[in-house]
Amino acid sequence: MRAVVQRVNGASVVVDGEPVGEIVGPGLCVLVGVTHADTPEKAAQLARKLWSVRILEGEKSCSDLAAPLLVISQFTLYGDARKGRRPTWNAAAPGEVAEPLVDEVVARLRELGAHVETGRFGADMKVTLTNDGPFTVIVEV
């Protein structure tokens, strides 16, 4: 699993003009990609990392500050544009594999005590955020 994690001061996601997820104030906006070899155990590992990674102000984590997370599925994180002019998506898991694993990340975060907002899997989403720093890291498990 691969996640692009952005430290934000607010983020939201809209589908068909309707807000479906929003966090206010300091937190993390997390784009999650799934590949073929990913498992529920990797989803749990990613959730623990997201909850405890110390990238908020003052080297704090979401668990330290009870900061919210906005988690959005993003199959394009496994796009490969090394050859030609069009990326290939061969490394991205198909929706029927990826969706339950993204849901597992969210469920595990909530079990840890996180407030989690989400996008809508497979939808055309409009994501708005204020990157704080800017601060962006890639997390792979």
Side-chain angles (χ1 to χ4, degrees), residues 6 8-24 28-32 69-74 102 106 110 115-130:
Q6 297 179 81
V8 298
N9 190 15
S12 63
V13 59
V14 172
V15 175
D16 294 329
E18 172 191 342
V20 296
E22 178 180 30
I23 61 173
V24 177
L28 299 179
C29 181
V30 183
L31 307 176
V32 177
L69 300 95
L70 176 62
V71 176
I72 299 168
S73 63
Q74 180 95 34
V102 173
V106 171
R110 288 178 175 151
H115 172 81
V116 183
E117 295 283 324
T118 65
R120 189 172 295 152
F121 191 91
D124 180 15
M125 296 178 273
K126 308 300 182 208
V127 180
T128 303
L129 59 93
T130 302

Side-chain angles (χ1 to χ4, degrees), residues 19-107:
V20 296
E22 178 180 30
I23 61 173
V24 177
L28 299 179
C29 181
V30 183
L31 307 176
V32 177
V34 178
T35 193
H36 303 281
D38 288 333
T39 63
E41 292 75 24
K42 284 189 176 185
Q45 184 181 1
L46 179 61
R48 288 190 302 273
K49 176 65 88 172
L50 295 172
W51 186 231
S52 63
V53 66
R54 297 184 171 279
I55 61 173
L56 295 176
E57 190 69 34
E59 294 187 8
K60 302 288 185 183
S61 67
C62 286
S63 64
D64 293 331
L65 303 175
L69 300 95
L70 176 62
V71 176
I72 299 168
S73 63
Q74 180 95 34
F75 80 93
T76 62
L77 294 182
Y78 279 102
D80 184 352
R82 289 178 288 183
K83 292 172 76 176
R85 295 181 297 159
R86 272 187 253 185
T88 63
W89 313 113
N90 297 337
E96 61 271 10
V97 172
E99 184 173 13
L101 290 173
V102 173
D103 290 345
E104 183 72 13
V105 172
V106 171

